[in-house]
Amino acid sequence: MNSENIRITPKTATELTRSWVETMVVGLNLCPFAAPVVKDESLRYAVSLAETEDALVADFLSEIERVQQATEEDVATTLLIAPVMLQDFYDYLDMLALFEDLLLEAGLDGVLQLASFHPQYLFGGVDADDISHWTNRSPYPTFHIIREAQMSRALTHYKDPEEIPERNMRLLRKLGREGLIERFPPFADYCPE
């Protein structure tokens, strides 16, 4: 563990992630489905201070169980934040693939799905310096556990959901790096020029 990680607590990781969600995800309407769960406080922020793969897997499985046992009103969706591990984006992608395999093995395909966020997020096939990557650049490596039935219901009430990524890319390109940092100053700490 490096010295920076020693100062990370569940409280600080949650507060920074919550600020990112409220300012960027909801504030810019990057995900039109996020505002209701933020408003009704059914978005769960779970922090794993795991330092090993096994410990992080255990925390992930615990969160999966928690989501399944909770009502949708209590826990609509969960952000599992891993501030200590997976600083390398490709290590993060390996863990994401493992988590997706675990969902399949548990028979949860079609029940739960994962969305991914990371400080160095890169979309495949997009230039590394394209600002569009910032739609998925969170303060810490984060796994979003989503109830598929809830997402399906939300999609039926949203016109042209397939246009959301393109709309987001246009918005971020319009704001530019400086505009995004002005809106959410921590970006300057973890998004390279």
Side-chain angles (χ1 to χ4, degrees):
M1 183 178 352
N2 67 36
S3 60
E4 179 181 320
N5 291 339
I6 293 170
R7 292 186 299 270
I8 295 172
T9 66
K11 183 179 185 216
T12 59
T14 299
E15 287 174 352
L16 186 56
T17 301
R18 184 186 313 271
S19 177
W20 169 74
V21 167
E22 292 172 359
T23 303
M24 299 305 300
V25 179
V26 173
L28 290 178
N29 198 31
L30 297 177
C31 175
F33 316 114
V37 297
V38 168
K39 182 180 179 189
D40 69 17
E41 298 181 358
S42 61
L43 169 59
R44 176 173 157 74
Y45 296 87
V47 177
S48 171
L49 296 180
E51 296 182 37
T52 67
E53 182 177 304
D54 288 346
L56 185 55
V57 166
D59 289 343
F60 173 73
L61 293 174
S62 176
E63 282 307 310
I64 294 301
E65 185 175 342
R66 183 183 299 268
V67 169
Q68 289 183 282
Q69 291 179 353
T71 66
E72 201 173 290
E73 291 75 26
D74 288 334
V75 179
T77 187
T78 295
L79 292 176
L80 177 59
I81 307 157
V84 177
M85 292 183 61
L86 308 174
Q87 299 308 308
D88 179 87
F89 180 58
Y90 296 99
D91 291 343
Y92 170 85
L93 290 179
D94 289 343
M95 185 63 71
L96 177 66
L98 173 61
F99 286 174
E100 289 172 338
D101 288 345
L102 291 171
L103 288 178
L104 284 172
E105 289 173 19
L108 295 173
D109 186 36
V111 177
L112 298 175
Q113 66 181 4
L114 299 176
S116 52
F117 302 95
H118 190 276
Q120 302 304 315
Y121 199 93
L122 294 172
F123 289 107
V126 179
D127 288 342
D129 61 351
D130 195 298
I131 197 80
S132 66
H133 301 295
W134 291 35
T135 61
N136 287 55
R137 288 199 174 165
S138 58
Y140 304 105
T142 301
F143 303 91
H144 186 187
I145 304 167
I146 303 166
R147 297 175 188 260
E148 286 202 19
Q150 180 184 17
M151 181 57 70
S152 295
R153 286 193 310 276
L155 288 171
T156 63
H157 301 292
Y158 192 84
K159 185 181 175 195
D160 303 320
E162 65 280 354
E163 292 181 11
I164 294 170
E166 284 299 319
R167 176 185 57 90
N168 289 347
M169 289 179 197
R170 284 192 305 272
L171 173 62
L172 267 60
R173 288 178 181 136
K174 179 180 176 185
L175 290 170
R177 184 178 195 279
E178 295 309 314
L180 289 168
I181 289 172
E182 182 178 320
R183 180 174 276 280
F184 187 65
F187 272 144
D189 296 332
Y190 65 86
C191 291
E193 291 211 42

